[in-house]
Amino acid sequence: MTAVLACWTALAMTAGCGTPDGAETGRAGTPKASGSAAPTSHADHAKRYTGELADGAKWIADVPPDFNGTLMLFSHGYGPLQARDAPDSKTRDALLKRGYALVGSSYSGSSRWALNVAVKDQFDTLSAVRKKVPAVREPKRTLAWGDSMGGLINSLVAQRGRGRVDGALSACGIVAGGLDFNEYQTDGDYAINQLLVSGGSGGPDGPGGSDGSGSSGDSGRSRKQIKVSGFSSDEEAAASGKALANVVQGAQSTAQGRARTALVAALRNQPNWSSGRRPPKAHDYEAREKQQAEGLVKMSLPFTLGARYQVEKAEGGPVYANAGVNYAQLLRHSHDFPQVQVLYKKADLDLDKDLAKLTRNAHTEADPAAVRNMERTAVPSGHLAVPNLTLHTTDDPLNPAPQESEYARKVRSAGDGSMLRQTYVHATGHCSFKPANWLAVLNALEHRLDTGSWDAATEPRTLNKAAREAGEGSYPSFLRYTAPELVGVRGRNVRAQ
């Protein structure tokens, strides 16, 4: 959690979110002119190469002296457009000392939501490195990997990678696609406005301006709603994220506010474990809501709202629409529906009335061109050209595990179910994996490529054994897990009458 909160601090201050490895990349040397590949020294004796693509994207490559023949193309997550070839320095070093060569690009363009260009930049980087770095010119195998936004990019690489990559590892990814990602998040933001700002259960008014998300409410007095889309700057978006978080925090002082927060969390697919050594018990709904509120306040709302300006900038306009959405139908698809019902009853609130209000006031329309652009660049089709192994924490506050259930549904519908395997570690946090986790899933993917079959390589027992034998220290355990349905997808097809 600390790393993610640090990321949010960086986002608020610099409109970006990197990892400690990003700073190391910057210190490794200024990227050379287009086409150059000058080696520089590296702490672990690997050689670092840098270069620049024709569109301005920078690339880096780290090549160990005992290259094992496998080249790994890394897609980094949302943040500064800075070249990275691993999620963190410890994982990078663990791979380099085992002989893997690593490469990655910064992506180009003016938005940190770089889906318009990222896949092309990654493939172009692969071509440039193979041309300019003799040691990896003819690798025995090329694997793609990535995390967070890079997990989505990597799944698109897996979709289009025939003849260019042999397999893919997509971790903590937005694998359901950017459109669903923005819709369910903003459904929750809309519910905060309607039920906690307008409904009188929440905290202070936020930044001004109607966002088209509905009326000022039924509470007998008009309260200014918090803008949730159509931002003009990073600062405006960040202010809305802070204001929404303040409202949720204030709502925790009453039973009514906590019940409505549980509804917001269900719409946002917010996990009910945010901190502590163990998740709350299954029917301890008060404790689960408290954990959901913590995740919303400390992480999910500030980060996702803070990034929304960059998303809309990249796509050319707002991509969120809820006109005609039936919110009662959406909630029925949530595994947290029983929790919401119980907390509403304890608070002496009418759940049907609140859901009817959300449905009645749902009038927001998206920019059609922006939606088309996102569908074209940031939504996986489900077709897989190469085997794809995914990795997720069970309780990810930013890219929740139900992303995986929707991705699996798409892949099965496309007829490529045998190409996909999904793995989970029992942990909270966004992308909170250790080097041993990465080495274990890499071992499983290599087994699939070596034998043509997954066999038991992705079973938790096998993965935990591989992680333990990696000798890279502690790690969150793999477990057998089925992610719940992603709320806001299937139910959105049922429009209000």
Side-chain angles (χ1 to χ4, degrees), residues 243-473:
L244 288 170
N246 287 341
V247 168
V248 171
Q249 184 64 61
Q252 297 310 291
S253 63
T254 68
Q256 291 82 7
R258 293 190 293 272
R260 285 172 166 148
T261 297
L263 174 54
V264 167
L267 294 175
R268 252 183 166 266
N269 295 279
Q270 190 71 27
N272 42 46
W273 181 24
S274 177
S275 63
R277 295 185 63 184
R278 296 182 182 84
K281 294 181 180 179
H283 299 294
D284 189 348
Y285 294 138
E286 288 85 357
R288 290 160 72 94
E289 184 278 333
K290 184 177 180 180
Q291 291 278 291
Q292 289 173 322
E294 178 182 296
L296 286 166
V297 169
K298 292 183 177 180
M299 209 173 301
S300 184
L301 289 168
F303 194 94
T304 58
L305 265 293
R308 196 163 293 160
Y309 168 69
Q310 292 289 321
V311 174
E312 294 178 348
K313 177 183 177 182
E315 304 304 345
V319 296
Y320 174 69
N322 71 350
V325 169
N326 185 323
Y327 280 89
Q329 182 68 18
L330 283 193
L331 185 61
R332 291 189 191 105
H333 291 278
S334 173
H335 72 292
D336 284 331
F337 187 22
Q339 172 178 310
V340 176
Q341 290 177 306
V342 168
L343 294 181
Y344 260 74
K345 185 175 181 180
K346 287 187 175 183
D348 196 26
L349 283 175
D350 188 332
L351 177 57
D352 290 337
K353 183 178 179 180
D354 274 1
L355 291 170
K357 178 182 178 180
L358 293 178
T359 298
R360 182 175 65 253
N361 292 340
H363 306 303
T364 302
E365 299 282 359
D367 182 317
V371 171
R372 288 194 296 271
N373 192 40
M374 183 169 272
E375 288 175 334
R376 179 179 60 84
T377 61
V379 178
S381 68
H383 287 288
L384 288 173
V386 298
N388 189 192
L389 180 59
T390 70
L391 173 64
H392 227 106
T393 59
T394 52
D395 292 78
D396 186 328
L398 295 183
N399 297 340
Q403 286 266 344
E404 298 285 355
S405 66
E406 178 62 15
Y407 183 53
R409 186 192 65 78
K410 287 184 178 182
V411 173
R412 288 193 301 269
S413 296
D416 287 332
S418 64
M419 301 280 275
L420 175 69
R421 288 295 183 274
Q422 296 173 303
T423 65
Y424 300 89
V425 297
H426 190 231
T428 186
H430 180 53
C431 306
S432 52
F433 312 116
K434 297 293 182 68
N437 294 119
W438 282 109
L439 292 169
V441 292
L442 175 58
N443 181 72
L445 179 61
E446 289 178 323
H447 174 88
R448 170 65 173 78
L449 297 175
D450 289 340
T451 67
S453 174
W454 295 106
D455 296 320
T458 58
E459 291 294 320
R461 179 182 297 182
T462 307
L463 292 167
N464 283 321
K465 181 175 183 290
R468 184 173 62 253
E469 292 177 349
E472 292 289 339

Side-chain angles (χ1 to χ4, degrees), residues 89-133:
S89 58
K90 290 184 178 180
T91 301
R92 180 193 62 209
D93 291 346
L95 290 166
L96 288 174
K97 75 182 184 182
R98 288 165 172 80
Y100 294 94
L102 311 178
V103 59
S105 80
S106 63
Y107 321 135
S108 58
S110 60
S111 171
R112 294 185 295 279
W113 178 261
L115 272 298
N116 291 339
V117 295
V119 175
K120 180 179 185 300
D121 283 343
Q122 288 294 82
F123 285 139
D124 287 350
T125 290
L126 198 58
S127 297
V129 171
R130 291 181 63 175
K131 288 178 181 177
K132 300 298 181 179
V133 182

Side-chain angles (χ1 to χ4, degrees), residues 39-307:
T40 61
S41 63
H42 206 264
D44 51 17
H45 306 296
K47 288 184 178 180
R48 170 158 290 190
Y49 300 83
T50 63
E52 182 173 334
L53 302 178
D55 65 2
K58 310 295 192 299
W59 59 260
I60 61 172
D62 288 320
V63 183
D66 53 347
F67 176 46
N68 67 10
T70 297
L71 179 62
M72 297 186 67
L73 174 69
F74 181 71
S75 297
H76 71 74
Y78 179 87
L81 299 184
Q82 185 175 42
R84 291 171 52 201
D85 60 8
D88 57 81
S89 58
K90 290 184 178 180
T91 301
R92 180 193 62 209
D93 291 346
L95 290 166
L96 288 174
K97 75 182 184 182
R98 288 165 172 80
Y100 294 94
L102 311 178
V103 59
S105 80
S106 63
Y107 321 135
S108 58
S110 60
S111 171
R112 294 185 295 279
W113 178 261
L115 272 298
N116 291 339
V117 295
V119 175
K120 180 179 185 300
D121 283 343
Q122 288 294 82
F123 285 139
D124 287 350
T125 290
L126 198 58
S127 297
V129 171
R130 291 181 63 175
K131 288 178 181 177
K132 300 298 181 179
V133 182
V136 299
R137 189 160 294 162
E138 295 184 4
K140 296 177 183 177
R141 177 176 286 166
T142 301
L143 303 180
W145 61 316
D147 63 355
S148 195
M149 183 187 78
L152 169 57
I153 294 167
N154 196 57
S155 293
L156 296 171
V157 168
Q159 177 180 312
R160 306 169 193 173
R162 181 170 286 113
R164 292 183 279 198
V165 299
D166 300 292
L169 294 173
S170 302
C172 47
I174 312 170
V175 288
L179 196 58
D180 290 337
F181 183 60
N182 279 273
E183 284 185 334
Y184 71 69
Q185 287 176 356
T186 317
D187 278 336
D189 305 341
Y190 163 74
I192 294 173
N193 266 330
Q194 291 288 307
L195 303 179
L196 295 177
V197 173
S198 298
S201 298
D205 294 338
S210 171
D211 59 357
S213 59
S215 73
S216 61
D218 302 330
S219 61
R221 64 186 181 93
S222 177
R223 300 184 71 187
K224 189 176 288 185
Q225 299 206 322
I226 298 167
K227 192 171 185 178
V228 301
S229 65
F231 297 115
S232 60
S233 68
D234 287 308
E235 292 75 18
E236 185 183 30
S240 280
K242 181 179 179 181
L244 288 170
N246 287 341
V247 168
V248 171
Q249 184 64 61
Q252 297 310 291
S253 63
T254 68
Q256 291 82 7
R258 293 190 293 272
R260 285 172 166 148
T261 297
L263 174 54
V264 167
L267 294 175
R268 252 183 166 266
N269 295 279
Q270 190 71 27
N272 42 46
W273 181 24
S274 177
S275 63
R277 295 185 63 184
R278 296 182 182 84
K281 294 181 180 179
H283 299 294
D284 189 348
Y285 294 138
E286 288 85 357
R288 290 160 72 94
E289 184 278 333
K290 184 177 180 180
Q291 291 278 291
Q292 289 173 322
E294 178 182 296
L296 286 166
V297 169
K298 292 183 177 180
M299 209 173 301
S300 184
L301 289 168
F303 194 94
T304 58
L305 265 293

